[in-house]
Amino acid sequence: MNLWGMIWLGIATVIFLLAATVAKHWAVAPNIGKVVLALALYSLGNLIMLRLVRDFGMATAFSLSAIIQLVAVNLIAIVYFGERLGYVQGAGVVLAVVAVAMITMGPAANAQ
């Protein structure tokens, strides 16, 4: 993935994190405006992901997006919303990071 791909991935991630934050705010105090905003943000993020899938492949684009969002969403949930992860949930997050790293780096490791 080149520099522009990483920039687009970063933009998509920020949009998805904003959407997730709006969705959490909706869960706490539902109203139609929050639903519309969350849907618009998720739609915009997915349109960017379509470009990344075309340019870099589905495995690379979605794997990188998933792991970045997994870590970032958990940080937002813990720091901003005061949520807590249990030991099993925390271990699941760590294992997910390892799994996606292995998937992402797999082709390079097999080429040697």
Side-chain angles (χ1 to χ4, degrees):
M1 186 171 274
N2 61 29
L3 178 62
W4 285 111
M6 294 304 288
I7 291 170
W8 279 111
L9 180 62
I11 292 168
T13 299
V14 168
I15 291 169
F16 283 129
L17 294 176
L18 288 171
T21 302
V22 170
K24 175 64 177 186
H25 280 289
W26 173 86
V28 172
N31 72 46
I32 192 70
K34 292 175 187 173
V35 170
V36 171
L37 180 57
L39 288 172
L41 288 167
Y42 278 123
S43 296
L44 179 59
N46 279 310
L47 288 172
I48 294 170
M49 287 305 298
L50 289 174
R51 176 189 170 112
L52 293 171
V53 167
R54 184 186 66 216
D55 292 348
F56 303 107
M58 188 167 103
T60 299
F62 282 118
S63 294
L64 290 173
S65 177
I67 195 61
I68 293 167
Q69 287 183 57
L70 174 70
V71 172
V73 164
N74 276 285
L75 286 174
I76 289 172
I78 292 166
V79 173
Y80 185 71
F81 290 107
E83 296 182 9
R84 299 287 175 243
L85 292 178
Y87 293 118
V88 173
Q89 292 168 314
V93 170
V94 170
L95 289 172
V97 170
V98 171
V100 173
M102 291 172 71
I103 291 166
T104 304
M105 292 185 277
N110 288 336
Q112 295 178 1

